[in-house]
Amino acid sequence: MTGLLVLCVFAVVFNDISASTEVCTNTLLPGAKGDQGLSGEMGLEGDVGHTGKMGPIGDKGNKGDTGLEGPSGLKGKPGTTCDCGRYRKVVGQLDVNVGKLRKAVKFVKNVILGLKETEERYYLLVKEPKRFREALINCKLRGGTLAMPKTSNTNRLMADYVSQAGLTRVYVGLQAQSKDTVGTSGYVYADSSPLQGFAAWSQEEELNSRVSPTTNSSCVELLSTGTWSYVECEATLFFICEFPKSRRRGGSGGGGN
């Protein structure tokens, strides 16, 4: 009987505790928002940060005013006497060299593209109609002489040159000229050397060439066939100039073509 009473009391207490916990759990609600608190005190100043990137370059400023004129400098030392004669000589030689260079450049520009050559000489066909004497002077002004076909190889090269250019005849450096006071005459090249050895007269001209000319009015033309023919020196023809590849001291104008 006593044990049963204890169990009843324990059950009642347990139910009260459970009920009380459920009530507390269901009635927990948030309270009202409180008033704003007071601002805290300002903190200490922080450390200096890293240096930032350089900004863009600004606009160019206005030009400043001209500064004041500075004081005059000290008087210089007197100059030395000029050796003008020596310098004039040097300058004069430079002018000569420049003139030669200009002629050389002009030569290259006007000659190289249309050039024929042998081991010793260059040949240029000049397509400017000239009288024989004018052709001689023109070649000399160019630094050469009127072409002289002294060998069969040179004669063939010049004839092919004429043919390839679509021409039929040109002046060459050969002319009839009196030789002495007796009256005998012969043919001489533009370098004053006599015609001897090789010749390329046509059959008709071969017969005529055996008769010495009496005047120096008869000149020679080279045909595209490679033969020579007489022509009056006043006739206007194209012509061929020749230029040495190297100038040799004491060299003669012999048959080195």
Side-chain angles (χ1 to χ4, degrees):
M1 188 68 177
T2 301
L4 182 61
L5 180 60
V6 172
L7 289 174
C8 292
V9 173
F10 180 79
V12 171
V13 172
F14 179 80
N15 290 330
D16 289 341
I17 292 174
S18 297
S20 176
T21 302
E22 183 179 356
V23 172
C24 291
T25 300
N26 293 333
T27 58
L28 288 178
L29 298 175
K33 186 176 180 180
D35 296 333
Q36 184 175 354
L38 299 177
S39 300
E41 298 180 357
M42 182 180 294
L44 299 177
E45 183 176 355
D47 297 332
V48 177
H50 298 293
T51 303
K53 296 182 180 179
M54 182 182 292
I57 299 175
D59 297 334
K60 185 176 179 180
N62 295 328
K63 185 176 180 180
D65 297 332
T66 303
L68 299 176
E69 184 177 355
S72 300
L74 299 177
K75 185 177 181 180
K77 295 180 180 181
T80 57
T81 304
C82 174
D83 186 6
C84 298
R86 183 179 65 177
Y87 291 121
R88 287 195 187 100
K89 184 176 180 180
V90 173
V91 172
Q93 185 60 44
L94 288 175
D95 289 340
V96 172
N97 293 340
V98 169
K100 290 181 179 179
L101 182 60
R102 286 176 178 170
K103 289 182 180 179
V105 171
K106 185 176 180 180
F107 174 84
V108 171
K109 289 173 63 178
N110 296 336
V111 172
I112 294 299
L113 293 180
L115 206 62
K116 299 293 182 181
E117 65 177 312
T118 62
E119 290 183 0
E120 296 182 353
R121 286 174 172 79
Y122 296 108
Y123 296 88
L124 171 67
L125 174 59
V126 182
K127 295 182 179 180
E128 298 175 12
K130 303 283 185 183
R131 297 183 179 91
F132 182 83
R133 182 171 179 79
E134 293 172 340
L136 284 172
I137 295 174
N138 189 282
C139 288
K140 186 175 181 180
L141 292 175
R142 293 172 184 268
T145 57
L146 197 57
M148 298 172 286
K150 294 183 178 181
T151 66
S152 59
N153 289 337
T154 302
N155 191 75
R156 185 70 263 165
L157 179 144
M158 293 170 61
D160 290 343
Y161 198 4
V162 173
S163 178
Q164 291 169 7
L167 304 176
T168 57
R169 59 180 186 160
V170 294
Y171 270 134
V172 290
L174 187 61
Q175 180 185 22
Q177 192 171 34
S178 298
K179 296 178 63 177
D180 52 32
T181 58
V182 179
T184 58
S185 302
Y187 291 88
V188 294
Y189 285 105
D191 61 0
S192 300
S193 62
L195 170 63
Q196 56 186 5
F198 173 77
W201 302 110
S202 63
Q203 292 182 355
E204 179 180 357
E205 303 294 358
E206 177 68 23
L207 295 175
N208 294 332
S209 67
R210 296 175 183 176
V211 181
S212 298
T214 56
T215 66
N216 63 354
S217 63
S218 181
C219 294
V220 178
E221 63 181 1
L222 171 66
L223 305 180
S224 59
T225 58
T227 57
W228 298 352
S229 178
Y230 298 110
V231 64
E232 288 297 320
C233 299
E234 292 300 307
T236 56
L237 301 176
F238 294 161
F239 53 98
I240 298 177
C241 297
E242 72 175 42
F243 308 89
K245 286 187 175 180
S246 62
R247 297 184 182 277
R248 301 176 182 176
R249 294 183 179 179
S252 65
N257 278 300

